[in-house]
Amino acid sequence: MKAADLMNQIPIIPTFKKFGRVTRVIGLMIESQGPESSIGDVCKIHVPTIRDGHQIILAEVVGFKDEIVVLMPYTSLREISIGCLVEGTHAPLEIKVGNELIGKVLDSMGNPIDGTVLPNGLPTVATEQDPPNPLTRPPINERLEVGVKAIDGMLTVGSGQRIGIFAGSGVGKSTLLGMIARNTKADLNVIALIGERGREVREFIERDLGPEGLSRSIVVAATSDQPALMRIKGAFTATAIAEYFRDKGLSVMLMMDSVTRVAMAQREVGLAIGEPPATRGYTPSVFAILPKLLERTGTNLHGTITAFYTVLVDGDDMNEPIADTVRGILDGHIVLDRTLANKGQYPAINVLKSVSRLMNHIATPEHRSAAERLRNLYYTYNKSEDLINIGAYKRGTSQEIDEAIQYEPLITSYLKQGFMDKVSLEDSVSELVALSNGGVR
């Protein structure tokens, strides 16, 4: 920088810093007298410690009470005391991005959790961005292979589509995400593990994702023991990373497990700052934050983000508030059925309760016709299954039911797939068409 340029910067350099002081700590919240700041700003709390002499704890401004600044820390409240200095940064949380992140596991702040250090010089982006302008979103007209027959054949996904995976606990959401991450034709995977058990993070990386999947993925992990704000920021950090690579022209696959835990974390924050509980204890801010997060993915003028969001439904209730809200925002939903899982059908996708809202626009007429025929046969069998099982139905009574009985084992076999098996989109569709025409390839 030239000397003249440096001279021009002198008038805007502040000659002193204004600090606030911690006045109160209640539950998850810190109250501070000052400094001047805005909602979403990051502040540094200077904590004197016996061991290190000085420690900085990052916190975010989440509200105001009269002239009191309400902060929530990214880490624990331990060692914060009355009188600690609070320094405002006047900036939101930013993370480093770049190709150097590929293959790494990051925390919610974008730092590797394996002890390595990211190189200097990487660009930074804010974790919270506005969704693309609706008029700048190109229509979705290209299929994206995910390598799972039940999805590619019966619930075809487009490049840039947003899909919800709805299931109760232990029905195979993480396993399905691992299959998609390994098999997809997307250029890059960004995987957010929000609110997971600590032991499951490494298990997912080594068992479900595998070295092949990790080599083309970026994983952001915020475990259940971390503060609520860190779990929320994990979702926004993963989305910001996906947006960066989308703007580079890539086809990105974003997978978030689970958006329900993001909502629960936001409920914790909302209740802590005094929001009234609304629907089933969820605060209004929960239903405000979900569309802001979910609408950021999809297409823009440069590339695409195809997103899979898992939704952990309480007691397998598909109409609980978070599931109902997310289903209304996304472009389709995949329902994992515990009954199918108990029968040993994996992935346990209930194709009758699932839908891809874009399949009719991106699949060929032959493909659509075959999928509709098999779906109708499968529905006919399931509707009559109780009568068939107790022997109340006699063959020949209904030609439609007779045909459904004949096809049911073939359809079930088609929907099953081994955890490590990969089937191309072309093979999935050709097998589906052959099955609908009376046989298999």
Side-chain angles (χ1 to χ4, degrees):
M1 185 177 288
K2 296 180 180 179
D5 295 329
L6 289 173
M7 293 295 294
N8 291 334
Q9 296 297 315
I10 289 177
I12 64 173
I13 296 176
T15 56
F16 62 92
K17 286 186 177 181
K18 294 182 179 179
F19 289 85
R21 286 189 179 275
V22 173
T23 59
R24 194 179 184 193
V25 178
I26 303 178
L28 305 174
M29 314 307 295
I30 302 168
E31 294 185 2
S32 167
Q33 187 73 44
E36 294 181 1
S37 52
S38 303
I39 294 290
D41 283 357
V42 175
C43 291
K44 299 178 181 179
I45 302 177
H46 297 262
V47 180
T49 60
I50 297 176
R51 183 183 305 172
D52 305 315
H54 183 257
Q55 178 186 2
I56 292 179
I57 294 177
L58 297 180
E60 184 173 307
V61 179
V62 295
F64 302 99
K65 292 181 179 179
D66 298 325
E67 296 182 1
I68 298 297
V69 180
V70 181
L71 303 159
M72 178 169 280
Y74 291 125
T75 54
S76 68
L77 292 165
R78 191 179 307 141
E79 297 183 335
I80 294 178
S81 58
I82 301 298
C84 288
L85 293 178
V86 181
E87 177 186 354
T89 65
H90 303 289
L93 178 65
E94 294 184 334
I95 57 167
K96 293 181 178 180
V97 289
N99 292 334
E100 291 79 3
L101 299 182
I102 299 175
K104 290 190 175 294
V105 183
L106 312 174
D107 63 15
S108 297
M109 313 290 285
N111 301 314
I113 62 176
D114 59 0
T116 60
V117 179
L118 295 176
N120 295 324
L122 293 179
T124 59
V125 297
T127 58
E128 296 198 31
Q129 305 278 355
D130 292 328
N133 186 316
L135 297 183
T136 65
R137 290 183 182 266
I140 298 172
N141 49 30
E142 181 181 346
R143 297 179 300 175
L144 179 68
E145 178 180 313
V146 299
V148 180
K149 284 194 297 181
I151 299 176
D152 284 339
M154 302 290 286
L155 305 163
T156 310
V157 174
S159 183
Q161 187 173 352
R162 301 161 305 146
I163 296 285
I165 300 177
F166 294 73
S169 57
V171 188
K173 297 185 302 297
S174 298
T175 302
L176 180 59
L177 288 184
M179 291 178 67
I180 296 172
R182 289 195 313 274
N183 299 338
T184 181
K185 285 293 184 68
D187 298 323
L188 176 70
N189 300 315
V190 179
I191 304 170
L193 303 177
I194 309 299
E196 290 287 332
R197 303 173 186 88
R199 67 167 182 83
E200 289 184 337
V201 174
R202 184 168 179 178
E203 285 184 7
F204 175 83
I205 293 169
E206 294 183 355
R207 183 186 62 194
D208 298 336
L209 191 57
E212 178 186 355
L214 183 60
S215 66
R216 49 199 293 267
S217 302
I218 301 169
V219 180
V220 178
T223 52
S224 58
D225 61 292
Q226 295 183 6
L229 196 58
M230 285 291 276
R231 283 174 268 147
I232 297 171
K233 290 303 174 184
F236 282 87
T237 293
T239 305
I241 293 171
E243 288 172 325
Y244 170 81
F245 286 101
R246 175 180 63 183
D247 292 342
K248 294 296 182 182
L250 298 184
S251 172
V252 182
M253 176 74 74
L254 172 66
M255 287 170 277
M256 188 175 295
D257 185 15
S258 70
V259 71
T260 305
R261 294 192 177 106
V262 178
M264 290 179 174
Q266 180 61 37
R267 177 174 62 183
E268 288 183 41
V269 174
L271 292 174
I273 63 177
E275 279 191 79
T279 309
R280 291 202 191 177
Y282 287 101
T283 57
S285 62
V286 173
F287 302 100
I289 197 177
L290 286 176
K292 290 181 179 179
L293 175 65
L294 304 180
E295 286 288 354
R296 289 170 60 179
T297 54
T299 61
N300 73 356
L301 295 175
H302 308 287
T304 63
I305 300 176
T306 307
F308 282 87
Y309 298 97
T310 68
V311 181
L312 183 64
V313 293
D314 186 16
D316 293 335
D317 178 12
M318 298 297 169
N319 295 315
E320 58 95 24
I322 300 304
D324 200 42
T325 301
V326 172
R327 187 167 51 242
I329 297 171
L330 300 180
D331 307 317
H333 53 273
I334 296 171
V335 175
L336 301 186
D337 196 319
R338 192 178 301 276
T339 302
L340 296 178
N342 292 338
K343 290 180 179 179
Q345 178 176 323
Y346 289 100
I349 298 174
N350 188 326
V351 295
L352 299 178
K353 295 181 179 179
S354 307
V355 65
S356 170
R357 295 181 181 174
L358 295 176
M359 182 174 176
N360 288 338
H361 302 288
I362 58 179
T364 64
E366 184 183 34
H367 180 186
R368 290 200 307 270
S369 177
E372 289 170 3
R373 170 171 162 73
L374 293 185
R375 183 186 289 266
N376 184 58
L377 289 168
Y378 202 43
Y379 169 77
T380 301
Y381 179 85
N382 278 269
K383 185 175 65 172
S384 310
E385 186 175 14
D386 290 341
L387 293 176
I388 296 169
N389 289 338
I390 64 175
Y393 174 76
K394 294 182 179 181
R395 292 286 183 108
T397 304
S398 167
Q399 182 180 354
E400 186 179 7
I401 296 178
D402 289 345
E403 189 178 20
I405 294 172
Q406 179 185 355
Y407 269 87
E408 190 274 335
L410 299 176
I411 298 173
T412 301
S413 177
Y414 174 82
L415 296 176
K416 286 184 178 181
Q417 184 172 335
F419 169 61
M420 298 304 295
D421 295 342
K422 177 180 180 180
V423 183
S424 69
L425 176 62
E426 290 75 15
D427 288 344
S428 296
V429 173
S430 60
E431 185 177 340
L432 180 75
V433 171
L435 179 58
S436 72
N437 290 331
V440 294
R441 278 189 313 118

